[in-house]
Amino acid sequence: GAVVSQHPSWVICKSGTSVKIECRSLDFQATTMFWYRQFPKQSLMLMATSNEGSKATYEQGVEKDKFLINHASLTLSTLTVTSAHPEDSSFYICSARELAGVYNEQFFGPGTRLTVL
Amino acid sequence: QQQVKQSPQSLIVQKGGISIINCAYENTAFDYFPWYQQFPGKGPALLIAIRPDVSEKKEGRFTISFNKSAKQFSLHIMDSQPGDSATYFCAASMGTGFQKLVFGTGTRLLVSP
């Protein structure tokens, strides 16, 4: 099956710093990538949708200036959490939809655990 | 109208038993209904998915039952094993636009040995 990787798998940073998370589709080209946030024992909350070469579409209530998304190629999307604060600590997960794949199907990455001190 | 309601919140099943998780939706424009399995600290993995043109789909020990008129679908795990202990999420999406997934709230399944 299609494989999506994320890097890093976990990161600890100080309050006020910025953190970049990478999401890569390893063996397929992704037209669309999605970024989710998940708090402990809760469901996945969609943050934004990104298409290669265009600006990301953010969900209501998600600050686009705080969560910068770049989808520079068909295999790479990045999420940058700017000026991170403890309340940004969460599990961030990306997913990707294959260019020539099954309609609607999304493949998820392993997630990145962000802890802001 | 965009919500997907999932129940139960948690479930304990004995080894060898059948686990049943239910989901309901309102938006009749949804046309893709996947189930995901998530282990602690990992991303969700697609288990099985169904489209509304069929009422049932089976893959190994996993079966989705779909009731279009009731706007409900369920996951059945036959011969449940301790290794099935995980959180299960149902989801739904439409074929238009970005085809975003709307997730249910999740069910924590524990299969006792």
Side-chain angles (χ1 to χ4, degrees), chain B residues 3-11 18-25 33-35 63-67 70-77 88-91 103-109:
Chain B
Q3 281 186 327
V4 177
K5 295 182 180 178
Q6 183 171 348
S7 63
Q9 190 174 17
S10 62
L11 181 62
I18 303 173
S19 305
I20 302 174
I21 305 170
N22 302 297
C23 284
Y25 63 97
F33 303 90
W35 284 90
T63 300
I64 298 180
S65 296
F66 184 80
N67 186 328
K71 293 184 283 187
Q72 295 175 347
F73 58 109
S74 60
L75 175 69
H76 295 233
I77 306 175
Y88 292 81
F89 293 97
C90 64
F103 280 88
T105 49
T107 296
R108 298 182 74 189
L109 171 65

Side-chain angles (χ1 to χ4, degrees), chain B residues 1 17 41 68 79 87:
Chain B
Q1 197 180 18
K68 189 174 180 178
D79 187 27
T87 299

